[in-house]
């Protein structure tokens, strides 16, 4: 193995170790109710840990910046989608539970409608237009359908865009910041593609129907360009769909989780999936069992409901 290859693997391992250290420290603090009021010995230890974490990050960032020509301090992410999906489920279960409602609200804001279905209907309409133009058999309702497509793309443009990046806390690994960044990045890419498609529709393709002489050849070229843009938009819509599903999964799946230190007072537990290996606070165990029903998959999973039940959950655990 070449020296460059060895150095690259070392840098990758250092970057991952630095990232995981920040996650563990931050989640440990937030899961236990926030940063404690430190006494003198604790303050000294905390300062040493914080300094070590900061210097490790600076060293890793500097090495990566020199190798890849990036500015010092820039976050280097090889695959943002994979990182976010893996990271959300790796966060402490008590942190995911503590912020699950806000994370779910964020997911709903980025998924007010099924954008995958919207884009697929737009693709179908444009494909029908292309077929008609190729066969020189343009239907009378073609223009109306394109106007409907333009309106539906306008609904996609109303999705939340890329949010301003907040100041990182303790290494930049705040759970809700990760959720917002993940969803906003996917939304921004989809909105950019939807805007390009709508502009092509409104400024070039639809006006052809009102021109003195209808040019089927010119419309065909535009329709094919629009079809290519919509294919890219469809890919981004699927990416956003997966992002929303990942956030919901991280906010719902607590099978095998250790929740003994979680504060469940006032928490919305409806819809949480758990199993026999999930550990609840002792004072909540019986209440959770009575409020849960067996999942339909028959794999020993349970789902927390709204109202307590009078009998034990009938499930083979």
């Amino acid at each position: 193995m070449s020296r460059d290859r060895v150095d690259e693997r070392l840098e990758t391992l250092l970057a991952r170790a630095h990232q995981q250290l920040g996650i563990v420290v931050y989640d440990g603090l937030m899961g236990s109710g926030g940063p404690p009021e430190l006494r003198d010995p604790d303050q000294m230890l905390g300062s040493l840990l914080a300094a070590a974490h900061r210097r490790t990050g600076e060293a890793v960032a500097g090495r990566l910046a020199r190798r890849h020509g990036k500015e010092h301090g820039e976050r280097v992410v090889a695959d943002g989608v994979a990182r976010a999906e893996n990271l959300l489920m790796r966060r402490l279960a008590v942190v995911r539970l503590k912020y699950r409602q806000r994370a779910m609200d964020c997911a709903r804001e980025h998924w007010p409608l099924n954008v995958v279905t919207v884009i697929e209907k737009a693709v179908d309409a444009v494909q029908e237009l292309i077929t008609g133009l190729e066969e020189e058999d343009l239907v009378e309702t073609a223009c109306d359908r394109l106007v409907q497509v333009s309106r539906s793309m306008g609904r996609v443009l109303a999705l939340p865009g890329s949010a301003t990046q907040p100041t990182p806390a303790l290494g930049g690994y705040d759970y809700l910041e990760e959720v917002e960044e993940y969803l906003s990045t996917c939304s921004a890419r989809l909105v950019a593609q939807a805007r390009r498609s709508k502009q092509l529709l409104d400024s070039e393709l639809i006006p052809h129907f009102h021109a003195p002489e209808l040019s089927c050849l010119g419309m065909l070229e535009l329709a094919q360009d629009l079809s290519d843009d919509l294919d890219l938009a469809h890919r981004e819509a699927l990416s956003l769909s997966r992002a929303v599903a990942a956030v919901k999964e991280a906010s719902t799946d607590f099978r095998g989780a250790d929740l003994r230190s979680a504060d469940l007072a006032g928490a919305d537990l409806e819809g949480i999936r758990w199993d026999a290996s999930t550990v609840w606070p002792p004072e909540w165990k019986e209440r959770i069992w009575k409020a849960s029903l067996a999942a339909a998959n028959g794999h020993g999973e349970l789902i927390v409901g709204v109202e307590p039940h009078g009998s034990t959950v009938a499930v083979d655990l």
Side-chain angles (χ1 to χ4, degrees), residues 18-19 61 64 70-78 80 83 87 165-168 171-174 177-178 181:
H18 174 248
Q19 182 187 56
L64 292 176
K70 296 182 178 292
E71 295 182 0
H72 179 73
E74 181 179 352
R75 294 177 68 184
V76 180
V77 181
R83 176 182 62 84
L87 179 60
Q165 291 301 317
T167 301
Y173 303 113
D174 177 86
E177 288 176 3
E178 291 287 347
E181 179 188 6

Side-chain angles (χ1 to χ4, degrees), residues 106-173:
C106 186
R108 281 189 286 269
E109 289 176 3
H110 287 79
W111 194 259
L113 71 160
N114 191 330
V115 293
V116 174
T117 300
V118 169
I119 301 298
E120 287 176 348
K121 289 182 178 180
V123 170
D124 291 342
V126 174
Q127 286 299 324
E128 289 182 12
L129 174 64
I130 291 175
T131 300
L133 291 170
E134 288 175 340
E135 297 175 356
E136 297 184 354
D137 184 21
L138 196 61
V139 297
E140 295 181 358
T141 59
C143 183
D144 293 336
R145 289 205 64 185
L146 291 183
V147 171
Q148 292 176 357
V149 169
S150 178
R151 291 173 180 169
S152 64
M153 299 305 289
R155 298 176 64 193
V156 177
L157 295 182
L159 292 174
S162 181
T164 302
Q165 291 301 317
T167 301
L170 202 64
Y173 303 113

Side-chain angles (χ1 to χ4, degrees), residues 256-278:
D258 185 353
L259 301 173
R260 283 174 293 184
S261 61
D263 182 7
L264 303 184
D268 181 10
L269 304 179
E270 182 181 358
I272 283 180
R273 293 161 55 206
W274 61 286
D275 59 16
S277 58
T278 303

Side-chain angles (χ1 to χ4, degrees), residues 9-266:
R9 292 186 62 184
L10 175 61
E11 291 160 1
T12 301
L13 289 173
L14 286 172
R16 289 178 180 173
H18 174 248
Q19 182 187 56
Q20 289 304 311
L21 176 60
I23 290 174
V24 170
V25 173
Y26 187 84
D27 281 2
L29 290 174
M30 298 309 295
S32 60
E37 183 178 353
L38 299 177
R39 295 184 294 273
D40 288 345
D42 295 332
Q43 183 71 58
M44 182 177 297
L45 177 59
S47 298
L48 290 173
L49 287 173
H53 179 250
R54 182 174 60 256
R55 289 173 183 174
T56 302
E58 291 172 352
V60 171
R63 290 173 65 89
L64 292 176
R66 289 192 296 271
R67 174 173 290 274
H68 300 291
K70 296 182 178 292
E71 295 182 0
H72 179 73
E74 181 179 352
R75 294 177 68 184
V76 180
V77 181
D79 187 351
V81 172
R83 176 182 62 84
E85 289 177 344
N86 293 333
L87 179 60
L88 293 180
M89 285 303 296
R90 289 205 305 268
R91 303 303 286 262
L92 284 179
V94 290
V95 172
R96 291 190 285 117
L97 180 61
K98 180 177 181 179
Y99 296 109
R100 74 179 295 260
Q101 192 58 53
R102 293 170 64 183
M104 293 283 280
D105 290 342
C106 186
R108 281 189 286 269
E109 289 176 3
H110 287 79
W111 194 259
L113 71 160
N114 191 330
V115 293
V116 174
T117 300
V118 169
I119 301 298
E120 287 176 348
K121 289 182 178 180
V123 170
D124 291 342
V126 174
Q127 286 299 324
E128 289 182 12
L129 174 64
I130 291 175
T131 300
L133 291 170
E134 288 175 340
E135 297 175 356
E136 297 184 354
D137 184 21
L138 196 61
V139 297
E140 295 181 358
T141 59
C143 183
D144 293 336
R145 289 205 64 185
L146 291 183
V147 171
Q148 292 176 357
V149 169
S150 178
R151 291 173 180 169
S152 64
M153 299 305 289
R155 298 176 64 193
V156 177
L157 295 182
L159 292 174
S162 181
T164 302
Q165 291 301 317
T167 301
L170 202 64
Y173 303 113
D174 177 86
Y175 178 66
L176 288 177
E177 288 176 3
E178 291 287 347
V179 170
E180 177 62 34
E181 179 188 6
Y182 183 27
L183 294 171
S184 295
T185 299
C186 295
S187 291
R189 292 200 304 262
L190 173 57
V191 168
Q193 290 296 337
R195 181 176 293 109
R196 183 178 305 172
S197 301
K198 183 172 172 57
Q199 288 175 345
L200 182 58
L201 262 173
D202 296 343
S203 62
E204 298 188 50
L205 186 54
I206 292 178
H208 268 269
F209 285 90
H210 307 292
E213 294 184 4
L214 190 65
S215 173
C216 289
L217 182 59
M219 291 179 65
L220 180 59
E221 293 179 357
L222 290 172
Q224 289 171 340
D225 289 342
L226 178 58
S227 178
D228 292 339
D229 288 345
L230 287 174
D231 284 340
L232 293 175
H234 184 254
R235 183 185 65 184
E236 300 300 347
L238 290 174
S239 178
L240 177 58
S241 174
R242 289 191 293 268
V244 171
V247 173
K248 290 182 178 179
E249 186 73 7
S251 304
T252 305
D253 188 357
F254 291 90
R255 292 172 295 175
D258 185 353
L259 301 173
R260 283 174 293 184
S261 61
D263 182 7
L264 303 184

